[in-house]
Amino acid sequence: MKSQRREEIRKILESKPFVSLRELTLEFPDVSEMTIRRDIEFFERQGEVIRVHGGARSVKFISRT
């Protein structure tokens, strides 16, 4: 379940520059907010997102200027 949920979160992050914590908790109602936060931290350690207040920004959409 965890790997499937994280894969779904990865797809969301690849399609949008910002994903809010609220959006993810609504998308996965059977999972606690703390679990979603840990998932975001996982993606941050992988270098895929930058945690920001209220959610995460996908590095895919951040320009390297």
Side-chain angles (χ1 to χ4, degrees), residues 13-24:
L13 291 166
E14 289 176 352
S15 68
K16 301 168 78 169
F18 173 79
V19 179
S20 72
L21 183 60
R22 176 161 170 68
E23 179 180 350
L24 291 174

Side-chain angles (χ1 to χ4, degrees), residues 42-59:
F42 168 80
F43 288 113
E44 185 177 46
R45 287 191 306 272
Q46 301 299 313
E48 297 180 46
V49 302
I50 297 171
R51 285 186 302 158
V52 295
H53 182 75
R57 297 190 65 73
S58 174
V59 296

Side-chain angles (χ1 to χ4, degrees), residues 24-55:
L24 291 174
T25 56
L26 292 173
E27 183 73 27
F28 303 97
D30 297 334
V31 178
S32 73
E33 182 178 314
M34 198 61 220
T35 297
I36 297 295
R37 288 179 186 272
R38 283 190 289 271
D39 289 340
I40 291 172
E41 289 173 6
F42 168 80
F43 288 113
E44 185 177 46
R45 287 191 306 272
Q46 301 299 313
E48 297 180 46
V49 302
I50 297 171
R51 285 186 302 158
V52 295
H53 182 75

